Structure formats: C-alpha cells, structure tokens
Amino acid sequence: MTLGYAVQSVLEILGVVALVVAMIYDDKIAKWEKKMLRRIKKRLFGVKSNVIPFESIQNDGRAV
C-alpha cells in the first residue's frame, strides 16, 4: 500500500464517520446552523442604532 492510497483510505474513513455523526446529531446541527445564519444576517444587515455615543456629547449637554 502506497502513501497515496493510505491517505485516501484515511480520508474516506473520516468522511464516513463524519456522515454517521451528522446523521445522529442532525437536529442539533440544524439548530446550530439556524442560529449561525441568524447571527451572520444580523451582522451583515443589522439595524443601525439611533443612539448618540457619549463621546460626542459636550459638557453642556448638546450633541455635536
């Protein structure tokens, strides 16, 4: 058995194990994916806040 076949066999075994684990934990993976997609959407298309930062407020209370 050459090194190439050994590496290919190991990768195939890891793929099968990952597939079996994914089938077992399908519902948990789906919840995690939904949560991550929601976070990504929130970061990309998040609503901008209308709050004035404290650094821009002068001592007399006026906003810059």
Side-chain angles (χ1 to χ4, degrees):
M1 183 184 258
T2 64
L3 181 63
Y5 290 123
V7 171
Q8 182 179 356
S9 297
V10 169
L11 290 175
E12 288 175 353
I13 292 170
L14 288 176
V16 170
V17 169
L19 185 63
V20 170
V21 169
M23 289 173 63
I24 293 172
Y25 295 106
D26 185 38
D27 55 342
K28 292 181 181 180
I29 292 172
K31 287 180 186 177
W32 178 80
E33 287 175 345
K34 188 174 182 179
K35 183 173 67 171
M36 294 309 293
L37 185 63
R38 195 176 313 130
R39 277 188 186 171
I40 291 170
K41 283 183 181 178
K42 188 176 179 182
R43 294 235 174 142
L44 290 177
F45 308 111
V47 177
K48 302 295 183 205
S49 176
N50 291 333
V51 177
I52 300 172
F54 287 115
E55 294 84 24
S56 66
I57 298 177
Q58 298 176 354
N59 290 336
D60 59 357
R62 293 183 297 129
V64 175

